[in-house]
Amino acid sequence: MQTNIVLSIFVIAMILLASNRVRIDLIGLIVLLGLGLTGVVPSSQLFDGFSSEAAILIAGMLALGEGLVASGVTEALANFVRKMGQGHERRLAIVLMIVSALPSAFISDVGLVGMFIPVVRSLTRRVQIPASRLLMPLGIAATFGGLLTMVGSAGNIVGNQALVTAGYRPLGIFGITPLGFLLLLSGVAFMTTIGRILLPKTPPSTTMLLDADEGHLRQFVSELKILPDSPLIGKSLDQVHFFSDHGITILRRIHDEQIMTVNGKTILAPNDILLVLGDVDQLLESDSVQWGVGIAGEPTTLSLKEHVDVVELLLGHRAPWLGRTVVQLNLRQRYGISVLGIYRDGQLLLQRLATVRLRTGDILLVQGAPESVAALRGLHGLIPLNAPITRRAQPSYRLWLSPAILLGSLLLAAFGVMGLRLAIVLGVALMAGTGILSLSNAYNAIEWRIVVFVAGMIPLGSALISTGITHHMVHALALWKSVALHPVLMIAVLFVIAAILTQVLSNIATVLVMAPVAAELAKTLHLLPYPFVMAVIVAVSVSPLTPLANKVDLLIMGPGGFRYGDFLRLGIPLSLVMGIVTTLLIPIFFPLH
């Protein structure tokens, strides 16, 4: 009975993850509720995941990584890449991949890529190459960089936790470093040879709305006139739904030959000229006559530079607007800005913006007063693409002190002076005490959704083991006698399975499911588990077959103008090459016996 219950909860969790429509922290809570209400896991053990080393390390490393960002280390690296902008494309790709991979060994790869995207776009305009030629190497290097340490990604930490749960000694912080370094070099070599051929060579036909160099709208803007007998006269824009119902965004109002900004309280007057963005033809084919609206003149290109700021905002994984529509956010009233369009999956959305739920990787074209737009830069997870993110100048000593604290803390744990969790707490305390990192920023940096998800999935993993479900999975793998007799081939099999699963599930979920299976398989074959678990950890980081495999890929998709096929065309050969390299290298660094 318990086996069926656990299996049902597991299947439901996998379906929810594969749907990509439910927040992962909610999935973690659903799992906890299922295990608790059915009594499969005793209440005394149900919340052990929150105190597990995996959950604490994920939270702690995100906080420590924020210290590097707050002290200006990542910005200094980005500026270094910008100064290399006069070089050849291949040289730029090599420098960018190495510079972005090194900090990724300690901080969130998604946050790091968010810092580098504006720099790369500025750089590609200067050297006149498509942004895709550098953004894809950037994304790959950031994920590969997570393999340089066992705390470089949440997947590494979860994989180490699986070893502990199976009764084995966890790998040290730098236990993966030699393998990770060679994998990174292999990735750089691939991207600067074969990968260059597979990358898009020309900019996409549908690009951003904004000309970042000139501050002009690339789309044509129409002029609509409020006729003298219009029933809209005397009404505020908050009271008028005619324009929004037809996907029309009002940019400016011309009244008495003066260009004015608009907001919800703007009162329409006879003969007002409205500068609008949207499908005006569709509007004029409707009942516009009875509303007293007509075309005022020929389409014109509108320059907003003197009157308003127009920026492209990339929504990162921690953006506060995710999962909500533009109407629900009420951005005009709350921030004094308007959304002109959304760029998603290679397409520009100008209509029905009110029904589109925002997600990671969306690019919003917004306009507003300079002070309103400037205020947006203080919101976590919103990345302005027009110009690199600039932060308040920091004392120069923090530039070297923050990495010294981070490395010093990790070395204390690596040499056994103190436990890893205590070392990370020490690092956070030192950064806070020296003024490098405020505790509020440390809390904001922690991705609580991941922490809650991991805390919910850990007891499910224990239940899968205790009920024998994991053993049945292992038995199914062990039936491949020809493979089982050749453990190196089993490493390849685990790599392939994990690489495929991570396209459907998240990389963390894939490791949570596959790492215990890999450890149990090693026991069945009377081998050490490290090579098998390592195959799973590596596979989820080096297999970008789709942009859903990693949030980094979703983040670069819009700015690079990538389509799903671009990831598949590059990801298949890259995954094959990395699979071969991984299968050959793992037994060298992690013996089977």
Side-chain angles (χ1 to χ4, degrees):
M1 181 63 179
Q2 280 194 337
T3 301
N4 292 333
I5 293 173
V6 173
L7 186 59
S8 299
I9 294 173
F10 173 73
V11 171
I12 290 172
M14 294 302 103
I15 292 174
L16 292 177
L17 284 167
S19 71
N20 203 32
R21 294 179 178 272
V22 183
R23 288 171 51 126
I24 60 173
D25 50 347
L26 180 57
I27 296 174
L29 294 176
I30 291 172
V31 168
L32 282 177
L33 280 173
L35 295 174
L37 293 176
T38 57
V40 173
V41 176
S43 57
S44 60
Q45 303 173 12
L46 187 61
F47 298 100
D48 286 354
F50 287 95
S51 61
S52 67
E53 181 159 314
I56 294 173
L57 290 183
I58 290 171
M61 286 305 302
L62 288 170
L64 272 181
E66 182 65 16
L68 294 184
V69 176
S71 63
V73 172
T74 52
E75 189 173 351
L77 291 173
N79 288 332
F80 173 75
V81 173
R82 189 185 297 113
K83 291 177 181 178
M84 301 294 294
Q86 302 303 321
H88 185 268
E89 177 189 328
R90 182 175 304 188
R91 178 192 173 200
L92 287 175
I94 293 173
V95 172
L96 179 64
M97 292 187 76
I98 294 175
V99 170
S100 59
L102 295 179
S104 185
F106 306 104
I107 68 177
S108 166
D109 52 3
V110 183
L112 181 71
V113 169
M115 288 284 297
F116 272 81
I117 285 176
V119 174
V120 170
R121 289 192 72 205
S122 174
L123 188 61
T124 53
R125 285 196 299 269
R126 188 189 311 169
V127 297
Q128 296 183 340
I129 60 174
S132 58
R133 307 288 294 178
L134 292 183
L135 284 177
M136 186 69 82
L138 169 66
I140 289 173
T143 53
F144 277 42
L147 296 173
L148 292 175
T149 67
M150 284 305 295
V151 292
S153 73
N156 299 8
I157 295 171
V158 170
N160 232 357
Q161 178 72 38
L163 290 169
V164 174
T165 303
Y168 293 92
R169 176 181 55 82
L171 289 170
I173 296 172
F174 302 105
I176 195 177
T177 303
L179 173 63
F181 181 72
L182 291 178
L183 292 174
L184 174 62
L185 290 183
S186 301
V188 172
F190 179 90
M191 289 305 301
T192 52
T193 53
I194 300 174
R196 292 183 70 233
I197 302 173
L198 300 175
L199 284 172
K201 294 181 175 59
T202 57
S205 57
T206 304
T207 57
M208 303 308 114
L209 279 171
L210 188 68
D211 186 327
D213 292 328
E214 301 179 5
H216 293 227
L217 290 177
R218 289 180 179 173
Q219 299 294 319
F220 283 119
V221 176
S222 301
E223 298 180 1
L224 295 179
K225 184 176 183 178
I226 303 298
L227 302 177
D229 59 348
S230 172
L232 302 179
I233 294 173
K235 294 184 178 181
S236 68
L237 290 181
D238 278 343
Q239 297 173 311
V240 176
H241 301 289
F242 172 68
F243 299 106
S244 59
D245 288 345
H246 291 85
I248 298 296
T249 299
I250 301 176
L251 306 176
R252 283 290 177 275
R253 170 195 182 209
I254 302 177
H255 182 74
D256 292 337
E257 298 185 352
Q258 292 185 344
I259 299 179
M260 302 179 177
T261 59
V262 295
N263 56 46
K265 304 303 180 185
T266 298
I267 303 297
L268 297 176
N271 299 315
D272 275 354
I273 303 296
L274 303 179
L275 305 180
V276 301
L277 179 70
D279 190 351
V280 175
D281 291 338
Q282 182 187 32
L283 179 143
L284 294 178
E285 290 174 359
S286 65
D287 51 358
S288 61
V289 175
Q290 76 176 58
W291 288 99
V293 177
I295 286 286
E298 292 298 321
T300 179
T301 298
L302 176 67
S303 173
L304 300 175
K305 201 167 186 179
E306 297 179 359
H307 308 285
V308 70
D309 279 353
V310 183
V311 298
E312 294 166 350
L313 290 178
L314 175 63
L315 299 188
H317 65 302
R318 290 181 352 200
W321 301 347
L322 297 179
R324 305 175 70 185
T325 66
V326 172
V327 170
Q328 290 173 336
L329 290 170
N330 195 19
L331 297 179
R332 178 173 288 176
Q333 296 300 322
R334 293 175 63 191
Y335 301 101
I337 64 169
S338 299
V339 176
L340 308 181
I342 301 174
Y343 191 79
R344 170 186 289 179
D345 295 345
Q347 295 184 343
L348 182 61
L349 308 178
L350 294 176
Q351 301 179 32
R352 299 184 300 277
L353 300 185
T355 62
V356 176
R357 292 193 176 275
L358 302 177
R359 71 186 192 195
T360 300
D362 282 349
I363 297 177
L364 274 58
L365 181 75
V366 304
Q367 60 118 3
E371 59 272 15
S372 299
V373 172
L376 297 177
R377 298 175 186 266
L379 295 178
H380 276 283
L382 298 182
I383 306 166
L385 296 181
N386 303 58
I389 299 174
T390 55
R391 299 177 181 271
R392 189 170 56 185
Q394 299 288 338
S396 58
Y397 75 88
R398 295 181 182 178
L399 200 61
W400 60 263
L401 184 58
S402 59
I405 290 175
L406 186 147
L407 287 174
S409 301
L410 296 181
L411 287 174
L412 288 175
F415 287 108
V417 177
M418 61 178 64
L420 181 55
R421 286 177 290 185
L422 183 58
I424 289 177
V425 171
L426 173 64
V428 173
L430 288 174
M431 285 191 178
T434 54
I436 294 174
L437 176 67
S438 69
L439 289 179
S440 59
N441 284 342
Y443 296 141
N444 289 333
I446 298 173
E447 296 182 48
W448 295 107
R449 286 181 292 184
I450 294 178
V451 174
V452 172
F453 173 67
V454 170
M457 292 296 288
I458 283 177
L460 177 59
S462 300
L464 289 172
I465 294 173
S466 62
T467 55
I469 296 175
T470 300
H471 179 75
H472 289 303
M473 295 180 183
V474 170
H475 182 67
L477 284 174
L479 286 177
W480 298 358
K481 296 296 184 182
S482 59
V483 176
L485 291 176
H486 299 84
V488 174
L489 293 180
M490 185 57 76
I491 292 174
V493 169
L494 288 170
F495 181 97
V496 171
I497 294 174
I500 294 173
L501 278 181
T502 198
Q503 313 306 317
V504 181
L505 312 178
S506 69
N507 51 0
I508 301 174
T510 300
V511 178
L512 279 166
V513 172
M514 289 298 300
V517 172
E520 183 71 20
L521 178 63
K523 283 185 179 180
T524 302
L525 300 177
H526 305 291
L527 300 171
L528 291 175
Y530 302 102
F532 295 162
V533 173
M534 198 54 56
V536 174
I537 290 175
V538 171
V540 301
S541 294
V542 299
S543 307
L545 298 176
T546 71
L548 300 178
N550 194 298
K551 287 184 179 178
V552 165
D553 300 324
L554 282 176
L555 208 57
I556 66 173
M557 190 173 181
F562 293 112
R563 303 296 180 93
Y564 275 73
D566 295 326
F567 287 91
L568 199 62
R569 183 173 61 252
L570 178 75
I572 289 177
L574 175 61
S575 299
L576 288 174
V577 169
M578 298 312 299
I580 294 171
V581 173
T582 300
T583 303
L584 295 176
L585 290 181
I586 281 181
I588 297 175
F589 295 103
F590 302 96
L592 291 159
H593 301 281

